[in-house]
Amino acid sequence: MNDKNEFPELPADCKSQLCKHLSKELFETLKDKETSNGFTLRQAINSGVENIDSGIGVYAGDEESYTTFSGLFDPIIEEYHGFSKEDKHKSNLDPADLNAPNPDPDGDFIVSTRIRVGRNVADLPLGPAISRDQRNDIEHQVSGALNGLTGSLAGTYFPLQGMSEADSTQLIADHFLFKAGDRFLEAAGLNRDWPEGRGIYHNDEKTFLVWVNEEDQLRIISMQMGGDIKEVFTRLSNAISEIEQQVPFSYTEHLGYLTSCPTNLGTAMRASVHIALPKLAADMEVFEKIADQYHLQIRGIHGEHSESEGGVYDISNRRRLGVTEVECVQDMYDGVVAMIAAEKAL
Ligand code: ADP
Ligand code: ILO
């Protein structure tokens, strides 16, 4: 590890957004700045410096990071979301505006559907710069609000601290819980004091879940088996408005909902299906072409940076900022319809 005040020499074949946009000159301009929470450029880039296989490589410690280090964040945001400094974010969580009849009513292709949003509590630092006490206070506040939910959203909060290894392993394998020890989050300072302050809330059916104090302070999740995307979105939209009445979220006109990773800004929404497309996946070039056309990302089924299993892929919207929540889900829906048609034609 080089001296943290020196420009990090990254390998020439490094493909991350950090490597692309952090010149030595820019580093020199930003290296002595810090936000009012004491967050520095070196902290913002540490994940990408320690993990040279990062796609992005930077994290914000607070709202101010996005302005203090705008020389680095703005071009990354522009390239990832196609969103410029002058643009304003927009929001629409109304399920009535979504056109998404089940694209696979017989269940031949879609295994499950999941839509999540990230949220962070207003007027507090984001995870990379938060203190242990602040994190624990958030857990207290958020779990209290969640425990007050009623009807189909009613459930139980399970702190990670004290959870048995067998329970957490099962929850992770079943795609409900986040993994421990992610090296990208570790280097971003997001795993400090682990597992204290972290936990998961879910209803009995595990169709509504909230992750507390992972990469973002809240990840609000709606999921179920099959391809009824509209039902999943409707549940999520209701849950967000219930929680928002009790927990104020960090939001700006320009960047929408603030998140620690710039890829999640705006709607902070990732709408995905796990879908079996074995024939299409045999020709990755065609598969990726359809994904690009509908602004979609292809992931493996055990989360980001994982591989596919048995021809099943995680297909999700790539754009999150400058588009509404309805548009994010519509991107995913339209692309999935096109992929199913391509699979059937093969
Ligand atoms: P994120 O939480 O940022 O959306 P990850 O890619 O890390 O992203 O996924 C988190 C978890 O959610 C993983 O266990 C993953 O397998 C699961 N997951 C994502 N999409 C679906 C889906 N459509 N159906 C079932 N599980 C899913
Ligand atoms: N820091 C990681 C992940 C970036 C996008 N994904 C998430 C979960 N925020 C990287 O740069 O590859």
Side-chain angles (χ1 to χ4, degrees):
M1 172 68 51
N2 74 337
D3 175 336
K4 296 217 165 184
N5 227 20
E6 265 175 38
F7 180 63
E9 292 297 345
L10 295 159
D13 60 351
C14 170
K15 294 192 179 61
S16 69
Q17 290 288 306
L18 170 68
C19 294
K20 180 165 177 189
H21 294 290
L22 186 69
S23 63
K24 191 160 198 299
E25 295 66 42
L26 183 60
F27 180 84
E28 292 302 325
T29 329
L30 300 179
K31 74 174 193 232
D32 296 321
K33 296 193 174 175
E34 61 176 52
T35 69
S36 44
N37 292 299
F39 196 71
T40 62
L41 176 72
R42 197 58 184 73
Q43 286 172 288
I45 66 174
N46 198 53
S47 191
V49 172
E50 290 196 4
N51 299 286
I52 52 159
D53 57 340
S54 291
I56 307 294
V58 298
Y59 286 88
D62 46 22
E63 178 176 340
E64 257 178 79
S65 303
Y66 285 109
T67 45
T68 308
F69 310 117
S70 60
L72 178 61
F73 279 106
D74 282 350
I76 293 178
I77 292 169
E78 174 136 22
E79 186 161 335
Y80 185 88
H81 298 280
F83 184 83
S84 84
K85 277 188 286 199
E86 291 73 36
D87 290 338
K88 277 196 182 143
H89 181 63
K90 47 189 181 170
S91 178
N92 178 10
L93 273 155
D94 186 352
D97 294 332
L98 180 69
N99 179 17
N102 191 337
D104 179 31
D106 296 331
D108 294 331
F109 305 95
I110 300 179
V111 180
S112 52
T113 302
R114 173 182 184 267
I115 312 180
R116 60 84 166 157
V117 292
R119 292 288 185 268
N120 289 280
V121 180
D123 305 323
L124 282 173
L126 297 165
I130 205 157
S131 73
R132 183 177 183 170
D133 286 348
Q134 286 169 322
R135 192 190 304 108
N136 289 343
D137 287 348
I138 289 174
E139 180 190 34
H140 186 73
Q141 182 191 6
V142 171
S143 59
L146 293 171
N147 283 329
L149 292 174
T150 54
S152 61
L153 302 180
T156 312
Y157 178 70
F158 301 92
L160 227 56
Q161 200 159 33
M163 187 183 287
S164 75
E165 177 100 15
D167 283 350
S168 66
T169 306
Q170 194 59 52
L171 283 169
I172 293 166
D174 293 344
H175 309 288
F176 295 123
L177 181 62
F178 46 88
K179 295 180 252 191
D182 180 281
R183 64 190 161 91
F184 300 88
L185 301 188
E186 176 69 32
L190 276 155
N191 290 346
R192 287 169 300 127
D193 313 310
W194 185 277
E196 198 179 305
R198 280 80 175 186
I200 181 173
Y201 172 93
H202 62 76
N203 62 1
D204 284 347
E205 304 82 49
K206 300 201 186 86
T207 53
F208 165 60
L209 306 95
V210 182
W211 294 354
V212 178
N213 285 321
E214 196 240 7
E215 179 175 314
D216 291 303
Q217 290 152 8
L218 291 89
R219 284 286 174 94
I220 307 173
I221 301 161
S222 170
M223 64 195 283
Q224 66 192 43
M225 301 308 282
D228 194 339
I229 295 168
K230 190 152 178 157
E231 186 168 273
V232 174
F233 183 64
T234 305
R235 183 188 302 113
L236 180 71
S237 178
N238 291 338
I240 294 171
S241 71
E242 291 281 330
I243 300 171
E244 204 155 24
Q245 285 169 32
Q246 299 191 60
V247 184
F249 296 141
S250 206
Y251 185 90
T252 72
E253 271 211 327
H254 174 49
L255 294 178
Y257 289 101
L258 294 181
T259 53
S260 60
C261 176
T263 65
N264 280 321
L265 288 165
T267 58
M269 173 171 280
R270 196 171 82 86
S272 66
V273 289
H274 278 183
I275 181 168
L277 298 166
K279 293 182 193 150
L280 185 58
D283 187 346
M284 274 323 261
E285 208 174 302
V286 178
F287 193 14
E288 280 169 6
K289 199 166 158 217
I290 304 179
D292 284 349
Q293 190 184 343
Y294 290 92
H295 313 285
L296 301 181
Q297 199 174 57
I298 304 170
R299 295 185 179 184
I301 57 159
H302 291 290
E304 196 175 22
H305 311 111
S306 74
E307 297 298 320
S308 155
E309 260 177 40
V312 180
Y313 289 82
D314 173 323
I315 304 296
S316 64
N317 61 297
R318 185 181 146 82
R319 306 185 295 178
R320 310 189 219 289
L321 175 61
V323 285
T324 67
E325 290 81 355
V326 167
E327 287 170 310
C328 290
V329 183
Q330 199 69 56
D331 274 353
M332 188 273 271
Y333 178 84
D334 294 343
V336 163
V337 169
M339 286 175 181
I340 291 176
E343 179 75 12
K344 279 183 179 166
L346 285 168

